[in-house]
Amino acid sequence: MKNKYRILKIVITVIILGFLLSFSLKRFSGQKITDNKISVKMNEKTPVYFIDEKDIKEIVKKENPSGKVGDLNIPVLEKKINALPAVDSANVYLNLNGKLNLDIKQRVPVFRLNKNGKDFYVDAKGIEFPISKTYSHPCMLVTGDVKPAEYEKLAELVEKIDKDDFSKKYFIGISKDKDDYNLLTSEGNYKVEIGDLDNIEFKVKGFKEFVEKYLVFQDPQKYSMVSVKYQNQIVTTLNPYFKENDSILKAGHKELAATASAPAMVRKAEAKPKPAEVKKTVTPKKATSSSKPKENIKPKTASKPKETKTSDKKPAAKPKAKIKIE
């Protein structure tokens, strides 16, 4: 008998708990999700404003027109928010008091890329996303045909520039010309050619030493390019529009012209036949003055002197004229 009473108590308790639970769930499902019960948190370290709390609340209302907790599909809502281009990750969950929590992390642009006439942002993971009509994030501008496989390395370069006081002061942009990257500077019209994205720290260090030991004593308008892409050397290109460079450029042009004309003169000298070799040509004894071979005869051709007619003697043998041109 005692066992029957125990089993009966357990069954009755379970039924009562189930009834209370269903009643609570029904009441919980019927609750309204008002704006006061929607909590939106942005978890990114760098503040960005591609989306705000108002935008998220509008998405919640669209996904749950009735506003009831029971009609809200949390996985679908979470997927919808994660599909936003500016969202890196989103976590959606409900509290027991019916409060809807949305923890959202937005993408933080590392640089803005202008490619094929289109502008878009790229984050630290190398993921591109479109620019916003309502918000523009301050970041470095990159131009040129940058491949998606280079996004992450380029993002690392930009982050290193932002963290270094010297680099942040000098470099204001990056451009890609064919396969070489160039850092655009804030002083003067020159750019710093770094080549590929390898050994960036070493290249920037070399440019820093060049600036501190030499460029600070020069006019920044003097150069159009400073190249640090070669190992253990820095190559500079003069600015042709800088007046003080006129004398240097003229002297350089004269030197180039002299070196270019020297080989041409040597070739002309070698093209002429040597006098000693011309004199070695044999002429017949009784040949007239017109029978002498001309000096301007073409190479590798034999000149045939004219034969003089005699009554008794046989004509002389035909001489062969040879001219060697080196």
Side-chain angles (χ1 to χ4, degrees):
M1 288 292 291
K2 291 181 179 180
N3 291 333
K4 291 182 179 180
Y5 278 114
R6 286 178 183 177
I7 294 171
L8 184 61
K9 286 179 181 180
I10 293 171
V11 172
I12 292 172
T13 303
V14 171
I15 292 171
I16 293 171
L17 290 174
F19 175 76
L20 292 173
L21 183 60
S22 62
F23 177 78
S24 299
L25 288 173
K26 187 176 181 180
R27 187 177 178 182
F28 180 75
S29 300
Q31 288 183 9
K32 290 282 187 178
I33 303 176
T34 59
D35 289 344
N36 296 330
K37 289 187 176 183
I38 299 176
S39 175
V40 180
K41 293 181 180 179
M42 302 294 180
N43 297 326
E44 62 276 350
K45 295 179 180 179
T46 304
V48 288
Y49 307 98
F50 294 108
I51 56 175
D52 54 16
E53 186 176 342
K54 185 180 178 181
D55 297 330
I56 298 301
K57 287 182 177 181
E58 286 180 358
I59 294 173
V60 172
K61 289 178 181 178
K62 286 181 180 179
E63 291 299 315
N64 186 21
S66 66
K68 293 181 180 181
V69 174
D71 296 334
L72 180 63
N73 192 330
I74 291 178
V76 173
L77 176 61
E78 192 174 81
K79 187 178 180 181
K80 187 80 173 180
I81 296 173
N82 275 312
L84 296 174
V87 173
D88 185 28
S89 63
N91 186 23
V92 182
Y93 58 94
L94 273 168
N95 288 342
L96 294 175
N97 58 2
K99 187 176 182 180
L100 181 64
N101 296 276
L102 301 102
D103 296 337
I104 298 171
K105 184 179 179 181
Q106 297 185 68
R107 299 191 189 279
V108 180
V110 177
F111 60 89
R112 180 171 177 169
L113 179 60
N114 180 278
K115 180 180 177 181
N116 299 326
K118 296 181 180 180
D119 286 275
F120 50 89
Y121 292 116
V122 178
D123 68 357
K125 297 178 181 179
I127 299 174
E128 57 185 47
F129 58 100
I131 59 175
S132 174
K133 295 180 180 179
T134 58
Y135 172 70
S136 178
H137 186 73
C139 57
M140 186 169 289
L141 177 65
V142 180
T143 59
D145 186 19
V146 182
K147 307 300 181 185
E150 300 173 317
Y151 286 169
E152 286 193 51
K153 274 193 173 183
L154 193 57
E156 291 177 5
L157 170 61
V158 175
E159 288 180 341
K160 288 178 182 178
I161 291 173
D162 291 338
K163 291 178 182 178
D164 183 63
D165 293 334
F166 172 83
S167 300
K168 192 173 181 180
K169 175 185 175 182
Y170 269 90
F171 304 135
I172 58 174
I174 301 174
S175 66
K176 185 180 181 183
D177 183 14
K178 295 181 180 178
D179 294 329
D180 290 333
Y181 281 93
N182 303 301
L183 301 178
L184 308 180
T185 57
S186 57
E187 294 188 6
N189 296 323
Y190 65 91
K191 56 186 178 181
V192 181
E193 185 184 38
I194 61 173
D196 55 28
L197 298 173
D198 297 329
N199 301 322
I200 292 299
E201 292 182 359
F202 180 77
K203 294 174 182 178
V204 173
K205 184 179 179 181
F207 174 73
K208 184 178 181 180
E209 292 182 359
F210 174 75
V211 170
E212 293 175 345
K213 295 181 180 179
Y214 182 77
L215 195 60
V216 289
F217 306 106
Q218 304 290 325
D219 192 321
Q221 304 291 331
K222 184 177 181 179
Y223 301 104
S224 62
M225 180 184 290
V226 178
S227 179
V228 293
K229 74 174 184 177
Y230 304 104
Q231 190 173 5
N232 298 327
Q233 61 178 334
I234 295 175
V235 181
T236 60
T237 304
L238 294 175
N239 181 8
Y241 302 103
F242 187 58
K243 291 184 179 180
E244 295 183 11
N245 289 338
D246 291 346
S247 58
I248 302 174
L249 292 172
K250 286 180 181 178
H253 291 325
K254 287 181 180 179
E255 186 176 351
L256 288 172
T259 55
S261 60
M265 294 177 65
V266 172
R267 289 175 184 176
K268 288 182 180 179
E270 291 177 351
K272 292 181 179 180
K274 295 180 181 179
E277 292 177 351
V278 174
K279 288 179 180 179
K280 289 181 181 180
T281 55
V282 181
T283 55
K285 291 181 179 180
K286 294 185 179 182
T288 59
S289 59
S290 60
S291 64
K292 293 180 180 181
K294 296 182 181 180
E295 292 182 359
N296 60 346
I297 59 175
K298 295 182 180 180
K300 298 180 180 181
T301 55
S303 59
K304 298 179 180 180
K306 295 180 180 180
E307 299 178 356
T308 53
K309 295 180 180 180
T310 54
S311 57
D312 298 330
K313 296 181 179 181
K314 295 181 180 180
K318 297 179 181 180
K320 294 183 180 180
K322 295 183 179 179
I323 299 176
K324 183 179 180 182
I325 299 176
E326 296 181 353

